[in-house]
């Protein structure tokens, strides 16, 4: 009977664990919706900024403009901005982006180029600090849904390193959100800004929906009308267009960084949803297995008791 009690206790424990994982899955789903709403709310500013930059680009030849953020100098040192999470229980999300950052560092070492880490998230900070890697700055305990203020603080640090020529290029390593079950680490050059990169292409936003009782993500193509809203050729600027461009490029950098943080946050939450969903499914399967074992053990115990009663009756007879 002790064996039956152990199985019952384990079934109860697994059921309690399933309740926790299911609750965490639902919390992650709610935060994915918040991330989705934030992406949608930041789009008007991003679209307007892209429109202004595109029209300035049509007026100026960026290659002939002498601006610090466009300074494409010889690369002797690279700043690697690595975006990870502050929490675990999200599958391989943190491990994948850290692995990609280490691979990039090894590639730079092979080319004889120095590098420095700028780390976002406790997981990356703990990993690289323990290995005494060259960490220039780190940012932890950020909001799970990134804010413009946090992106601005990080962008200020990147600008300081680039303009002081501490680093000659800044590369962003983050996890691009693809779907609830798919995300991938990618590398994007943030500084110096590429004039061709300022051209606006059709963008995408993601929407969390339900389908057949399960969560699903739909990616919606957003058509940009930047090219159709051009400024008249005879428009006069109160300031030199170069000065306007010099003021707008940092805003463009902030916007690029905020979008990457949003993608990373959505990827982390989606990974956590998937991990908790898998954990709940595994708990359900384990409960079925344990219940079957319990029934078998209970039947065996009842059979043994019947045999003992029959044997006792035969002995008395």
């Amino acid at each position: 009977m002790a064996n039956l009690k152990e199985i019952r206790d384990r079934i109860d424990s697994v059921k309690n664990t399933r309740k926790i994982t299911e609750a965490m899955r639902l919390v992650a789903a709610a935060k994915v919706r918040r991330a989705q709403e934030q992406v949608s709310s930041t789009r008007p500013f991003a679209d307007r900024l892209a429109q202004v930059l595109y029209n300035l680009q049509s007026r100026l030849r960026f290659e002939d403009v002498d601006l610090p953020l466009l300074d494409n100098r010889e690369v002797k040192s690279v700043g690697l901005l690595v975006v990870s999470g502050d929490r675990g229980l999200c599958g391989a999300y943190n491990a994948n982006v850290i692995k990609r950052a280490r691979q990039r560092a090894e590639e730079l070492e092979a080319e004889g180029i120095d590098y420095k880490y700028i780390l976002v998230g406790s997981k990356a900070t703990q990993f690289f600090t323990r290995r005494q890697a060259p960490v220039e700055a780190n940012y932890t305990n950020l909001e799970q849904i990134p804010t413009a203020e946090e992106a601005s603080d990080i962008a200020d640090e990147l600008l300081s390193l680039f303009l002081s020529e501490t680093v000659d290029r800044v590369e962003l390593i983050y996890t691009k959100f693809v779907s609830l079950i798919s995300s991938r680490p990618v590398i994007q050059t943030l500084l110096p800004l590429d004039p061709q990169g300022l051209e606006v292409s059709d963008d995408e936003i993601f929407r969390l929906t339900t389908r057949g009782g399960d969560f699903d993500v739909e990616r919606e193509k957003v058509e940009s009308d930047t090219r159709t809203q051009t400024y008249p050729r005879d428009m006069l600027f109160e300031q030199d267009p170069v000065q306007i461009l010099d003021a707008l490029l940092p805003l463009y950098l902030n916007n690029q960084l905020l979008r990457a943080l949003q993608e990373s946050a959505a990827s982390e939450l989606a990974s956590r949803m998937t991990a908790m969903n898998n954990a709940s499914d595994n708990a359900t399967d384990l409960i079925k297995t344990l219940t079957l074992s319990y029934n078998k053990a209970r039947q065996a115990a009842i059979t043994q008791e019947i045999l003992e009663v029959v044997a006792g009756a035969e002995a008395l007879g």
Side-chain angles (χ1 to χ4, degrees), residues 113 140 176 203 238 310:
I113 299 176
T140 58
K176 184 175 181 59
D203 203 354
E238 292 185 2
V310 171

Side-chain angles (χ1 to χ4, degrees), residues 52-91:
V52 174
L53 286 173
Y54 176 76
N55 282 283
L56 285 174
Q57 183 181 12
S58 65
R59 288 290 190 92
L60 302 170
R61 294 183 59 188
F62 277 18
E63 293 79 0
D64 298 335
V65 176
D66 184 17
L67 291 176
L69 297 186
L70 302 178
D71 184 14
N72 199 348
R73 54 183 179 261
E74 181 184 358
V75 179
K76 298 179 181 178
S77 179
V78 175
L80 298 177
L81 176 61
V82 184
V83 181
S84 70
D86 287 315
R87 302 167 181 83
L89 298 177
C90 51

Side-chain angles (χ1 to χ4, degrees), residues 2-32:
N3 188 33
L4 290 175
K5 184 178 184 306
E6 291 175 0
I7 296 176
R8 281 200 307 270
D9 291 343
R10 191 176 179 192
I11 290 174
D12 292 339
S13 176
V14 174
K15 285 182 178 179
N16 291 334
T17 301
R18 184 176 62 180
K19 291 179 181 178
I20 295 173
T21 56
E22 184 63 18
M24 293 181 67
R25 183 182 74 90
L26 295 175
V27 170
K31 291 182 178 179
V32 169

